[in-house]
């Protein structure tokens, strides 16, 4: 059952390296090319796609926000990510050259189902990224790429999220491959690192004790804020969502660049602020900007909890708490940066005496609109 863990959530967090590896299994060949034969949308159709729309809810939506960045970067196809519950109510522009990607762990989320039905009625092709074999969303889609997370029981999504990311990276890279996009060193390097990433997730899990300790020390706080940029922004949103649903705390994620447009007014003495720092390699301008954000909020009294790449000494002087994560290619960082936030929320919920696997007012799959 819970395999010796107190909660399903803890078990599912621990299963992430395997879930990630299983989702990659058989999908990258020895030469580093992608094989997604199960996606039964012909390559000729994929080559004609001129727009991609990702629809999803909650945690799956955060995976979708990261998917957008990966898809646009590797394929140069314009991509937008939209909350499934908003999608069909705004008369979206869709036609037969639009690819809609519907992400859902359960495959039964009504908002996502209604969005994909609407997309198909307009002639768009729908690809589901789903964790549940034979569920409604894949059955009603043109194709499906299954995530192989195994059953996820805890209401808070953890391993499903990581595998949704993996599946979306695979879709993005596959689209780049069939469209003959420049398969340069960068992409080759990403495929290689993706195929080895489960070991890095494992390494992160081995270093989580200080994160648990930190979470316990914050159990009487009212608010935790999360900041990130680029792929770190959806990670910040995901960290905040986990904390809301599990710890019943006020938690908000912001794009760090928005701080000065309002949220910085929230910073006061001892407010915990988690900052997800991008790799100092990759997009180094973003890195510099985040480091100055950390300085700014710390000068205003925030308690800074900094998630940064191992060896990134530039953040050390401004961090009240440091959580190191392994170096990864920029777009893959969420696979390692999300894990401490899951552990953090789970431990805070426990410290506050909450029911971790079954938070109040929530259901595992939301089958009403
Ligand atoms: O089954 P789905 O992936 O479609 O579910 C979507 C959301 O309801 C789900 O991710 C929800 O936000 C989680 N409880 C978050 O932990």
């Amino acid at each position: 059952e819970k395999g010796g863990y107190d909660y399903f959530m803890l078990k599912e967090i621990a299963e992430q390296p395997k879930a990630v590896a299983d989702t990659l299994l058989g999908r990258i060949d020895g030469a580093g090319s992608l094989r997604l034969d199960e996606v039964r949308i012909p390559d000729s159709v994929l080559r004609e796609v001129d727009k991609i729309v990702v629809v999803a809810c909650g945690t799956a939506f955060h995976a979708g926000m990261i998917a957008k960045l990966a898809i646009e970067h590797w394929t140069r196809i314009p991509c937008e990510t939209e909350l499934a519950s908003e999608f069909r109510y705004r008369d979206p522009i869709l036609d037969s050259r639009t690819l809609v990607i519907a992400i859902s762990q359960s495959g039964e989320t009504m908002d996502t189902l209604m969005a994909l039905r609407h997309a198909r009625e307009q002639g768009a092709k729908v690809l589901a990224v789903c964790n549940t074999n034979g569920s409604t969303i894949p059955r009603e889609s043109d194709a499906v790429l299954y995530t192989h997370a195994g059953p996820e029981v805890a209401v808070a999504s953890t391993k499903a999220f990581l595998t949704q990311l993996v599946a979306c990276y695979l879709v993005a890279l596959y689209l780049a491959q069939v469209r003959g996009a420049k398969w340069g060193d960068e992409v080759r390097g990403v495929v290689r690192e993706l195929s080895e990433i489960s070991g890095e997730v494992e390494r992160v899990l081995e270093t989580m004790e200080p994160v648990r300790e930190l979470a316990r020390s914050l159990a009487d706080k009212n608010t935790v804020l999360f900041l990130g940029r680029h792929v770190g922004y959806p990670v910040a949103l995901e960290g905040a969502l986990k904390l809301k649903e599990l710890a019943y705390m006020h938690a908000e994620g912001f794009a760090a660049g928005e701080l000065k447009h309002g949220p910085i007014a929230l910073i006061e003495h001892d407010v915990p602020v988690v900052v997800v720092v991008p790799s100092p390699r990759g997009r180094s301008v973003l890195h510099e900007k985040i480091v100055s954000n950390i300085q700014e909020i710390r000068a205003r009294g925030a308690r800074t909890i900094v998630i940064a790449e191992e060896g990134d000494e530039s953040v050390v002087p401004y961090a009240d708490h440091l959580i190191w994560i392994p170096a990864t290619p920029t777009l893959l960082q969420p696979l390692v940066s999300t894990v401490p936030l899951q552990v953090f929320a789970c431990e805070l919920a426990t410290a506050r005496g909450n029911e971790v696997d079954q938070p109040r007012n929530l259901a595992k799959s939301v089958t009403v609109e």
Side-chain angles (χ1 to χ4, degrees):
E1 258 243 330
K2 293 184 196 148
Y5 292 92
D6 290 344
Y7 310 109
F8 279 106
M9 186 178 177
L10 286 173
K11 173 171 179 267
E12 290 162 6
I13 288 173
E15 284 170 348
Q16 292 184 111
K18 179 171 187 313
V20 164
D22 288 350
T23 301
L24 288 164
L25 202 68
R27 290 170 170 170
I28 300 176
D29 71 14
S33 297
L34 303 183
R35 300 246 159 276
L36 300 185
D37 305 335
E38 0 155 22
V39 174
R40 288 181 210 284
I41 300 176
D43 288 356
S44 56
V45 173
L46 293 179
R47 273 193 278 274
E48 294 302 311
V49 166
D50 64 3
K51 174 181 169 184
I52 297 176
V53 183
V54 185
V55 291
C57 306
T59 288
F61 173 72
H62 299 150
M65 290 176 76
I66 295 162
K68 170 198 157 76
L69 297 171
I71 288 169
E72 289 196 336
H73 182 70
W74 290 326
T75 70
R76 308 312 292 157
I77 307 169
C79 176
E80 53 193 83
T81 296
E82 185 149 358
L83 289 167
S85 56
E86 290 290 324
F87 182 66
R88 71 187 175 114
Y89 298 100
R90 66 161 178 98
D91 192 16
I93 303 166
L94 302 161
D95 59 31
S96 60
R97 297 178 66 174
T98 310
L99 175 67
V100 170
I101 303 178
I103 310 176
S104 174
Q105 188 286 131
S106 62
E108 301 296 345
T109 299
M110 188 56 76
D111 287 314
T112 310
L113 182 61
M114 297 311 275
L116 80 85
R117 280 187 184 156
H118 181 77
R120 291 194 78 196
E121 277 162 19
Q122 311 297 308
K125 288 269 175 293
V126 176
L127 168 65
V129 168
C130 184
N131 196 46
T132 312
N133 261 305
S135 55
T136 312
I137 287 173
R139 273 195 281 116
E140 292 208 14
S141 299
D142 295 284
V144 53
L145 185 66
Y146 280 109
T147 49
H148 294 157
E152 193 181 63
V153 177
V155 165
S157 187
T158 54
K159 61 177 180 171
F161 176 70
L162 259 61
T163 61
Q164 284 160 357
L165 291 178
V166 169
C168 290
Y169 295 136
L170 289 172
V171 169
L173 292 163
Y174 186 70
L175 281 168
Q177 180 176 295
V178 299
R179 295 163 69 95
K182 223 168 102 247
W183 205 248
D185 287 348
E186 185 203 329
V187 175
R188 249 188 296 276
V190 166
V191 172
R192 195 178 47 248
E193 299 223 27
L194 188 57
S195 59
E196 288 164 7
I197 201 97
S198 87
E200 303 297 349
V201 178
E202 184 78 62
R203 276 214 302 131
V204 175
L205 287 170
E206 284 161 8
T207 60
M208 287 298 95
E209 193 43 45
V211 174
R212 281 189 280 270
E213 218 170 277
L214 171 65
R216 289 192 291 271
S217 76
L218 298 176
D220 60 351
K221 293 281 177 199
N222 297 318
T223 296
V224 181
L225 305 178
F226 295 77
L227 297 178
R229 283 185 91 126
H230 191 249
V231 290
Y233 171 42
V235 171
L237 295 177
E238 175 62 5
L241 177 61
K242 288 276 110 58
L243 212 57
K244 285 175 208 166
E245 67 176 340
L246 295 169
Y248 316 151
M249 285 167 92
H250 173 238
E252 264 193 86
F254 300 106
E258 281 293 291
L259 258 186
K260 56 186 177 300
H261 299 291
I264 198 159
L266 292 169
I267 305 296
E268 56 185 0
H269 177 67
D270 220 27
V271 175
V273 185
V274 179
V275 188
V276 186
V277 179
S279 162
R281 303 158 299 116
R283 288 168 181 67
S284 55
V285 194
L286 278 190
H287 177 268
E288 276 165 38
K289 292 200 159 147
I290 281 253
V291 175
S292 63
N293 290 143
I294 305 174
Q295 280 172 264
E296 275 158 19
I297 57 172
R298 193 146 186 270
R300 288 166 175 78
R303 169 138 36 138
T304 56
I305 302 165
V306 176
I307 302 183
E309 205 172 84
E310 278 160 357
D312 182 0
E313 295 301 322
S314 62
V315 297
V316 175
Y318 316 113
D320 293 306
H321 307 273
L322 259 170
I323 302 171
W324 293 119
I325 51 173
T328 58
T330 304
L331 282 161
L332 304 189
Q333 196 199 48
L335 290 171
V336 289
S337 56
T338 307
V339 175
L341 300 181
Q342 300 167 341
V343 172
F344 182 73
C346 184
E347 191 69 23
L348 244 164
T350 314
R352 286 163 76 95
N354 297 352
E355 173 52 61
V356 170
D357 288 335
Q358 287 289 340
R360 68 187 181 198
N361 308 340
L362 292 171
K364 182 63 182 163
S365 57
V366 184
T367 52
V368 290
E369 241 198 311

